Amino acid sequence: MKGTVGELGEFGLIRELTSRLTTTPAVRLGPGDDAAVVAAPDRRVVASTDVLLEGRHFRRDWSTAYDVGRKAAAQNLADIAAMGAVPTAVLLALVVPAELPATWPVELMDGIRDECQVAGAAVVGGDVVRGETITVAITALGDLRNHEPVTRSGAQPGDVVAVTGWLGWSAAGLAVLSRGFRSPRAFVEAHRRPEPPYHAGPAAASLGATSMTDVSDGLIADLGHIAEASKVRIDLRTAAIDVPTQMSDIGQAVGVDPLQWVLTGGEDHAIVATFPPDVKLPARWKVIGEVVNPSALPQVTVDGAPWERAGGWDHFDDEDLPEPEDQD
């Protein structure tokens, strides 16, 4: 596709984006009207929204538009799964400069569409607006299928803490990219396109998970939300947490303890949950700690002691900002 977004125009861009979409049985009315209609058999709708801002959450010299689309959809769909729900639909709000090549938002939509297909959802509508900075806002919807939502507030003393999915891979990939490299490719790709285990959220709900969240800001930070909501202390055991050999090699090369990435690196969107100790967990779940006791000072400890180093992603911490480069 040649030309810019400005040359294509608002309605031309909308036509290009919606022409690439697929649907699912849950979508009763898709893009093209004032609003979409999505089936909600459970009579409750789970909803989540997130924003990706160029220079803050992605860089065009590091990630393609398709990568950004996959990532934008994944981080929202993972929130739905972390409630124990099945993703059904996604809405996109997109802000782009008029001089942006028209291929960029089209490839972005391809990425969002393909990630939705992985999760079993569909893009059902949205909006596009002209602005100075590329901004991608996603709202995801889901269906509980007659389960109760698994919140952050249900962890009980004696519960085990278990995780499924990658931990620290995105952070290791970011460290590689920040130093001007593009390999090891598996870690770089983990940063560009996280792969949340969508199936694990509803499965955990069926297994009796007492609390659950996805690891978006870092394992300690996100378990900290569970500890606070449940008013408990959670203790992690580092001996039970796997650190891949290649991640250790990256850590040695850049002077970082890889355990720091595993415990505090965000954007992998693994699913972490607490379960009663008598629940038999499938092999995909790895027990990495336990809920120790009710606590007047809810916290996450590591091997029985407070974690003294940085604890995860903070959107208002300048140190978390990637340094953007001039874009074409």
Side-chain angles (χ1 to χ4, degrees):
M1 181 184 297
K2 297 180 180 180
T4 66
V5 170
E7 291 167 342
L8 193 59
E10 176 184 357
F11 298 107
L13 178 59
I14 290 172
R15 282 193 297 271
E16 287 292 339
L17 298 181
T18 56
S19 70
R20 313 179 79 80
L21 298 179
T22 57
T23 190
T24 68
V27 179
R28 302 298 170 82
L29 182 64
D33 219 303
D34 291 318
V37 178
V38 180
D42 183 80
R43 301 177 66 85
R44 296 170 294 177
V45 175
V46 181
S48 179
T49 191
D50 273 305
V51 175
L52 273 73
L53 183 67
E54 182 180 12
R56 178 73 185 183
H57 302 102
F58 67 90
R59 288 172 42 165
R60 279 188 276 158
D61 58 322
W62 285 0
S63 299
T64 66
Y66 183 83
D67 292 335
V68 176
R70 295 292 295 258
K71 186 173 187 176
Q75 68 180 35
N76 284 273
L77 295 165
D79 284 338
I80 300 300
M83 297 297 294
V86 175
T88 55
V90 155
L91 296 157
L92 166 67
L94 180 62
V95 180
V96 290
E99 64 274 14
L100 184 72
T103 53
W104 201 93
V106 168
E107 291 170 5
L108 174 86
M109 181 60 88
D110 287 347
I112 295 171
R113 177 202 62 209
D114 289 354
E115 191 64 31
C116 284
Q117 288 180 334
V118 172
V123 182
V124 296
D127 191 22
V128 295
V129 177
R130 175 176 176 169
E132 298 304 313
T133 303
I134 298 176
T135 305
V136 183
I138 298 279
T139 297
L141 307 177
D143 184 69
L144 286 164
R145 294 191 176 179
N146 297 319
H147 288 289
E148 288 304 308
V150 183
T151 67
R152 297 171 174 175
S153 60
Q156 299 293 320
D159 285 352
V160 298
V161 179
V163 66
T164 183
W166 308 109
L167 288 175
W169 284 60
S170 178
L174 177 61
V176 169
L177 287 165
S178 298
R179 287 158 177 80
F181 299 102
R182 296 295 186 270
S183 64
R185 189 171 181 82
F187 292 89
V188 171
E189 289 304 307
H191 176 71
R192 290 171 171 161
R193 302 181 193 176
E195 297 182 7
Y198 300 118
H199 62 279
S206 297
L207 287 167
T210 55
S211 68
M212 183 160 51
T213 189
D214 72 309
V215 183
S216 56
D217 296 326
L219 182 63
I220 290 176
D222 288 310
L223 279 174
H225 299 318
I226 288 179
E228 183 175 0
S230 300
K231 295 181 172 53
V232 295
R233 180 167 71 89
I234 293 173
D235 189 53
L236 297 175
R237 298 192 299 269
T238 56
I241 298 175
D242 295 326
V243 178
T245 300
Q246 201 169 24
M247 186 185 293
S248 296
D249 293 341
I250 297 171
Q252 185 174 12
V254 302
V256 175
D257 180 355
L259 190 62
Q260 175 81 16
W261 292 329
V262 171
L263 294 178
T264 69
E267 295 192 325
D268 284 302
H269 301 289
I271 300 292
V272 63
T274 58
F275 296 90
D278 58 347
V279 172
K280 185 175 181 180
L281 296 173
R284 70 172 67 96
W285 290 91
K286 174 77 171 177
V287 175
I288 59 171
E290 61 183 330
V291 181
V292 181
N293 55 264
S295 177
L297 180 62
Q299 62 178 319
V300 178
T301 54
V302 179
D303 295 329
W307 180 257
E308 300 294 346
R309 288 179 270 176
W313 176 270
D314 182 341
H315 288 276
F316 291 92
D317 184 350
D318 288 342
E319 293 183 2
D320 285 331
L321 281 167
E323 292 295 331
E325 296 180 359
D326 292 338
Q327 305 292 348
D328 296 334

